[in-house]
């Protein structure tokens, strides 16, 4: 069955450092992969979409890579800020819907 | 611009009572619509999706049902709630790509927190 794995352990980093989150998947050949941010008690918010023919995509301080051979996506936040603290979810297409990972909690401390 | 509304924001219901959660989308036409549940400490679980009025697909067998009486209205219902129905219910929409039927980016509502006692 299709499976998406994100590090269940929270990631704690110091302000100004680069945060790197990992999303691994199995039994998938997705046309694209997405990253979302979720704050406590709120719905996820779309951040970035990367297609299978794209190796890297950037948006301001965010960078996403997509390696279809390794079946892995890395999500980077450079110059991290306390306001970046949230849970980050990766999602893969699944028919008409998206299949989400459980997310990784990021805590950026001053 | 597009907006998505969900109500109520919070709901406390006794076991065995009925449920009706409503979701409406503004500013777009013919969206794909989705219901997710997020239980404490767990990921997003897709419950239902709809690609058009009256078209509902269920992902998980359970005592919940969904209906889409209008293009931009999606309703989640139950005749008798179970304790295990407690959770954070999220509605989402995506654009239906012409000729594909596959939505891409999903836009989520603010969610309804349901507690079944």
């Amino acid at each position: 069955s299709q499976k998406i794995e994100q590090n269940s352990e929270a990631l704690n980093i110091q302000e100004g450092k680069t945060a790197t989150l990992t999303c691994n998947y199995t039994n998938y050949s997705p046309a694209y992969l997405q990253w979302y941010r979720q704050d406590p008690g709120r719905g996820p918010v779309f951040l970035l979409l990367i297609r299978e023919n794209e190796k890297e995509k950037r948006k301001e301080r965010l960078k996403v890579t997509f390696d279809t051979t390794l079946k892995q996506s890395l999500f980077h936040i450079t110059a991290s800020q306390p306001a970046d603290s949230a849970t980050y979810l990766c999602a893969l297409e699944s028919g008409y819907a998206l299949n989400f990972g459980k997310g990784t909690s990021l805590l950026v401390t001053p | 611009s597009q907006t998505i509304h969900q109500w109520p924001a919070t709901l406390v219901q006794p076991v065995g009572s009925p449920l009706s959660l409503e979701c409406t989308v503004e500013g777009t036409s013919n969206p794909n619509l989705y219901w997710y549940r997020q239980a404490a400490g767990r990921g997003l679980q897709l419950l239902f999706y709809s690609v058009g009025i009256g078209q509902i697909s269920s992902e998980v067998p359970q005592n919940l049902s969904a209906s889409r009486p209008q293009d931009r209205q999606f309703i989640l219902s139950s005749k008798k709630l179970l304790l295990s129905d407690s959770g954070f219910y999220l509605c989402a929409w995506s654009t239906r790509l012409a000729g594909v039927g596959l939505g891409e980016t999903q836009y989520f509502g603010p969610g309804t927190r349901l507690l079944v006692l």
Side-chain angles (χ1 to χ4, degrees), chain A residues 62-73:
Chain A
L62 308 180
K63 185 179 83 171
V64 172
T65 63
F66 192 15
D67 189 325
T68 56
T69 301
L70 290 178
K71 294 187 182 295
Q72 181 182 78
S73 175

Side-chain angles (χ1 to χ4, degrees), chain A residues 17-29:
Chain A
K17 303 291 185 182
T18 295
T20 298
L21 287 68
T22 304
C23 175
N24 295 298
Y25 59 92
T26 55
N27 298 323
Y28 263 113
S29 294

Side-chain angles (χ1 to χ4, degrees), chain B residues 3-56:
Chain B
T3 54
I4 178 169
H5 304 278
Q6 285 186 248
W7 63 89
T10 305
L11 192 59
V12 181
Q13 291 285 95
V15 170
S17 64
L19 173 74
S20 181
L21 302 181
E22 190 164 341
C23 170
T24 58
V25 181
E26 296 177 355
T28 188
S29 297
N30 303 315
N32 288 338
L33 295 172
Y34 309 86
W35 277 112
Y36 291 87
R37 177 171 60 202
Q38 191 171 37
R42 301 183 65 180
L44 283 167
Q45 179 187 33
L46 178 64
L47 302 175
F48 301 94
Y49 68 87
S50 171
V51 298
I53 296 175
Q55 301 180 59
I56 308 294

Side-chain angles (χ1 to χ4, degrees), chain B residues 1 4 11 16 25 52 56 59 80 93 96 106 111 114:
Chain B
S1 63
I4 178 169
L11 192 59
V25 181
I56 308 294
E59 291 294 302
K80 286 186 178 182
W93 72 273
R96 189 183 313 162
Q106 293 195 3
L114 172 66

